[in-house]
Amino acid sequence: QVHVAESGGGLVQPGGSLRLSCAASGSRASDAALAWYRQPPGKQREWIASLMTSGAGDYADPVKGRFTISRDDAKNTLYLQMNSLKFEDTAVYYCKAVVRTKGWNHTSYWGQGTQVTVSS
């Protein structure tokens, strides 16, 4: 019902910037809740950013003040603007789409991930 595809990752130097995109498609793409996760090398996947119903972003502490999440509803695309990148931001970044089903149940869809490497 929802297909997601991340793009925009790459190699950047500390202090640099990068913008990630998550394109959602499918029959439920327009009403799916989207969020960003990341998985550093050797660690578990962690949540980093979500959009609240007000349109404001909610962020994990390590990225607050540096990352900005946004969504273009017309294009069904989620963005993550990453500024002042640090070595510890190195990870595979994933987009997650969640849709509500009958009885308040939920179904999650994950993208393939995009690699972000911060290195000097």
Side-chain angles (χ1 to χ4, degrees):
Q1 294 180 308
V2 182
H3 290 86
V4 293
E6 305 94 336
S7 62
L11 176 65
V12 297
Q13 294 185 336
S17 298
L18 208 59
R19 190 191 192 197
L20 305 183
S21 297
C22 171
S25 61
S27 61
R28 300 293 304 278
S30 62
D31 60 9
L34 302 175
W36 285 103
Y37 288 72
R38 70 183 183 186
Q39 185 170 17
K43 298 182 179 180
Q44 294 184 326
R45 190 174 301 182
E46 63 181 2
W47 167 84
I48 55 171
S50 298
L51 280 174
M52 297 184 288
T53 54
S54 65
D58 189 20
Y59 305 92
D61 287 340
V63 307
K64 285 183 179 178
R66 300 187 298 117
F67 290 11
T68 302
I69 187 173
S70 62
R71 179 173 182 170
D72 187 334
D73 290 330
K75 298 180 179 180
N76 290 327
T77 301
L78 185 73
Y79 301 98
L80 185 67
Q81 178 65 48
M82 306 184 294
N83 298 325
S84 301
L85 285 164
K86 305 174 181 179
F87 174 79
E88 49 265 44
D89 293 321
T90 295
V92 177
Y93 284 71
Y94 296 91
C95 181
K96 177 184 178 182
V98 180
V99 296
R100 193 187 307 278
T101 58
K102 194 73 173 181
W104 301 107
N105 292 318
H106 302 273
T107 299
S108 298
Y109 301 87
W110 293 90
Q112 79 288 349
T114 184
Q115 177 71 50
V116 173
T117 302
V118 183
S119 177
S120 61

